[in-house]
Amino acid sequence: MLPKEKWKKAWEWKKLLAEKKTSPKEICEEYLKRAEQDKTNAFIKLTPEWARGVAQSVSQDSQDVMSGIPIGLKDNLVTKGIETTCGSKILQNYKPPYDGTVVKKLKDLQAVVIGKCNLDEFAMGSSNENSAYGSVSLPQKENYVPGGSSGGSAAAVAGGLVVHALGSDTGGSVRQPASFCGVVGLKPTYGRVSRYGLVAFASSLDQIGPLALDVQDCADMYDSIAGYDPLDSTSANRKNESCGLRVREVRESKSKRDEKLKSLTVGLPKEFFGEGLSDDVRASIDACIQKMRAKGVKFKEVSLPHSKFALPVYYVVAVSEASTNLSRYDGVRFGPRILPHENKTTLEEMYSATRGALFGPEVKRRILLGTFALSSGYYDAYYKKACQVRNLISQDFIRTFHDVDVILGPTTPTVSFEKGAKSNDPLSMYLSDIYTVPVNLAGVPAVSIPSGLGNHQLPVGLQIIGPSFSEPELLSAAATIESLLEE
Ligand code: GLN
């Protein structure tokens, strides 16, 4: 386990700041030092000037939960004037001319950005071995993977290099690395957090989400970034209730927490506890369920019958959308250009030389599959059919939430694995996301919290899923469970 007492949460730092026991500058220097000495390769780029600039100007007494707090940003979040590579050579040295909406919000709140976090190229992967800037290591065990694709963000939080980090979750990329690294990770409801300035992978699935050391921090970060944004046409125009306050209530009062546990009805989907779930993960999740049962939580077996189609549906929808989204990287508009025959190169030769040399193998595999699935004659058989089945998956969730408040299960079928163990077998890699992908297809929110340790003393994650737009209830349920597990 990580020496968590050394890694303070944002709300703990805020207390020390209010008591004048430290200063934003001191906190910033401490985290920059740790990030500079990092051996996990969690960052693609450190941003010390940005960090120090904010730390110097932020007021010691600022009440906002984010101000003066060191954070990391996944390197697919565009930052004005600062390289945004998406873990790809095709965007090497690319400096965006604008800030994404969440980046702007965090700038306005005076969060201290320590750096841009490593990721699988264009967020495609489950182990962070697909980055053109080198793989990331699990902070707890050398040569093991931190999960992906937000592996750099998760490793930076778990390794104490930042207090918070943002990731993006298309099929599990916040929750799966959170689970592997033993931290908390939230995928919000689709439409809750603006995607403006998140480099698109699969637009109907992508959501930005926080990674943090506990549910309180995760809720506070979510409150800071969520909300309607006219710059994102899929943004939901709905009122936001503070999740941080709801979590604080249960965290600060044991009687409130126990009351909440007694009123909770939890669904256990039989599809999430079947074949493929490893014994150590099952044992850890079962132990959590026992603890909750002892406190009066009601459990119901439920079924999400179409979730068995989730992976094939995801790998049609995601690759199709990726193939169109990635067509913009053509050597003309962004990044470097390769001209194989100097000034005699044709446009097509330039496209293929640039894309051929600068995209990595996983990205190419997906562009090929997606282009095929969308091509005329196949569109109806693949993309359209996948969208129809996606709707059935979504209906399974809607129906189940008539009977239960939240759905609970493992976040991933196994704990972290050794680097290289699955690199040559994409299908077995894709299976790491078997419990997270249905959630993205349905658009509902879900959070992964640490539930204990499995094989090799590595963290296990518990996934809690709620109905669309239920973040306040979902996070307060997660906080009650977290507090019970810590007892
Ligand atoms: N691992 C999944 C994939 O490779 C999910 C990625 C993600 O959520 N960004 O597509």
Side-chain angles (χ1 to χ4, degrees):
M1 254 333 222
L2 293 163
K4 274 207 172 156
E5 39 322 327
K6 199 176 153 200
W7 307 156
K8 282 194 185 45
K9 291 142 200 157
W11 56 271
E12 293 173 323
W13 279 123
K14 289 308 284 190
K15 234 188 197 154
L16 293 178
L17 282 168
E19 292 162 359
K20 308 262 187 297
K21 293 199 172 129
T22 182
S23 68
K25 267 200 229 167
E26 212 172 69
I27 300 176
C28 172
E29 290 307 324
E30 168 66 22
Y31 280 86
L32 278 175
K33 192 172 84 203
R34 294 183 194 177
E36 273 156 15
Q37 292 167 358
D38 169 41
K39 295 205 169 54
T40 63
N41 198 26
F43 292 98
I44 290 180
K45 184 182 174 68
L46 293 179
T47 51
E49 278 173 33
W50 182 0
R52 289 195 174 107
V54 176
Q56 260 152 30
S57 65
V58 65
S59 144
Q60 173 102 26
D61 307 314
S62 162
Q63 296 292 311
D64 193 274
V65 280
M66 267 324 131
S67 64
I69 299 299
I71 66 166
L73 299 172
K74 187 175 182 177
D75 203 24
N76 60 355
L77 293 166
V78 306
T79 42
K80 187 173 176 177
I82 289 174
E83 286 91 331
T84 301
T85 66
C86 291
S88 182
K89 283 195 209 141
I90 212 156
L91 282 176
Q92 196 155 29
N93 300 325
Y94 167 63
K95 292 186 181 163
Y98 69 105
D99 280 323
T101 296
V102 298
V103 175
K104 187 168 178 309
K105 285 189 179 205
L106 291 169
K107 261 189 183 172
D108 291 347
L109 294 171
Q110 294 190 292
V112 173
V113 178
I114 297 289
K116 303 289 300 280
C117 296
N118 206 339
L119 70 159
D120 283 303
E121 186 174 1
F122 285 103
M124 296 175 186
S126 308
S127 65
N128 231 296
E129 293 167 289
N130 295 339
S131 168
Y133 302 90
S135 64
V136 180
S137 302
L138 184 71
Q140 289 92 330
K141 198 167 164 65
E142 229 194 297
N143 224 27
Y144 273 64
V145 304
S149 63
S150 312
S153 302
V157 173
L161 314 177
V162 293
V163 179
H164 283 287
L166 287 183
S168 65
D169 192 313
T170 304
S173 279
V174 164
R175 290 158 288 154
Q176 190 254 18
S179 170
F180 280 14
C181 291
V183 300
V184 176
L186 168 73
K187 186 209 77 86
T189 307
Y190 185 78
R192 257 304 191 208
V193 177
S194 170
R195 291 184 299 110
Y196 179 72
L198 165 67
V199 176
F201 160 14
S203 313
S204 74
L205 298 160
D206 300 339
Q207 267 296 282
I208 297 168
L211 290 130
L213 290 173
D214 71 353
V215 177
Q216 180 70 65
D217 271 6
C218 184
D220 288 338
M221 175 57 107
Y222 168 79
D223 286 342
S224 308
I225 60 171
Y228 175 62
D229 180 10
L231 297 174
D232 170 3
S233 61
T234 58
S235 171
N237 194 351
R238 293 172 67 120
K239 233 182 93 206
N240 267 2
E241 194 197 323
S242 165
C243 294
L245 283 178
R246 291 286 290 272
V247 169
R248 211 153 272 130
E249 256 172 36
V250 288
R251 200 167 49 78
E252 283 170 1
S253 150
K254 233 183 187 163
S255 62
K256 271 231 166 96
R257 184 203 75 179
D258 288 347
E259 226 172 85
K260 172 128 189 107
L261 284 168
K262 281 203 190 78
S263 69
L264 205 59
T265 308
V266 174
L268 300 174
K270 58 174 193 244
E271 292 79 7
F272 285 19
F273 291 89
E275 213 189 311
L277 178 61
S278 68
D279 292 342
D280 58 327
V281 174
R282 186 190 301 269
S284 174
I285 303 297
D286 280 349
C288 294
I289 295 172
Q290 289 320 326
K291 263 192 161 172
M292 290 167 70
R293 217 188 282 276
K295 283 282 185 184
V297 175
K298 291 176 278 306
F299 285 95
K300 267 192 185 169
E301 190 186 85
V302 296
S303 177
L304 303 165
H306 297 94
S307 61
K308 61 171 174 287
F309 302 120
L311 273 186
V313 166
Y314 172 81
Y315 277 98
V316 173
V317 173
V319 298
S320 299
E321 295 182 13
S323 75
T324 57
N325 277 325
L326 270 57
S327 64
R328 71 190 61 154
Y329 306 107
D330 54 6
V332 177
R333 286 166 286 189
F334 307 90
R337 171 180 309 172
I338 293 180
L339 299 171
H341 317 297
E342 289 287 321
N343 39 14
K344 279 197 294 229
T345 306
T346 66
L347 185 63
E348 252 174 49
E349 282 168 344
M350 188 279 286
Y351 286 158
S352 82
T354 302
R355 288 166 66 85
L358 302 178
F359 277 137
E362 182 63 24
V363 174
K364 281 185 195 157
R365 177 161 36 237
R366 296 196 190 198
I367 292 175
L368 288 174
L369 287 169
T371 308
F372 174 77
L374 292 180
S375 55
S376 101
Y378 292 104
Y379 179 90
D380 284 356
Y382 294 106
Y383 190 73
K384 194 166 158 211
K385 181 59 85 188
C387 291
Q388 288 164 336
V389 182
R390 176 179 185 174
N391 192 31
L392 295 174
I393 293 171
S394 194
Q395 295 301 324
D396 282 353
F397 279 96
I398 293 171
R399 194 175 23 78
T400 304
F401 284 127
H402 289 149
D403 299 331
V404 300
D405 302 313
V406 292
I407 292 173
L408 185 145
T411 307
T412 58
T414 65
V415 294
S416 165
F417 43 87
E418 232 171 315
K419 285 187 185 174
K422 302 191 179 185
S423 322
N424 296 324
D425 184 358
L427 290 185
S428 98
M429 188 73 93
Y430 295 173
L431 279 172
S432 326
D433 300 313
I434 191 152
Y435 308 132
T436 49
V437 152
V439 169
N440 299 74
L441 291 168
V444 295
V447 59
S448 177
I449 65 171
S451 72
L453 299 177
N455 291 348
H456 311 292
Q457 298 294 99
L458 292 175
V460 175
L462 175 75
Q463 180 173 226
I464 312 162
I465 310 169
S468 283
F469 302 106
S470 72
E471 279 85 352
E473 294 76 29
L474 172 67
L475 288 170
S476 82
T480 58
I481 300 169
E482 174 187 58
S483 139
L484 181 64
L485 296 180
E486 277 167 4
E487 230 168 47

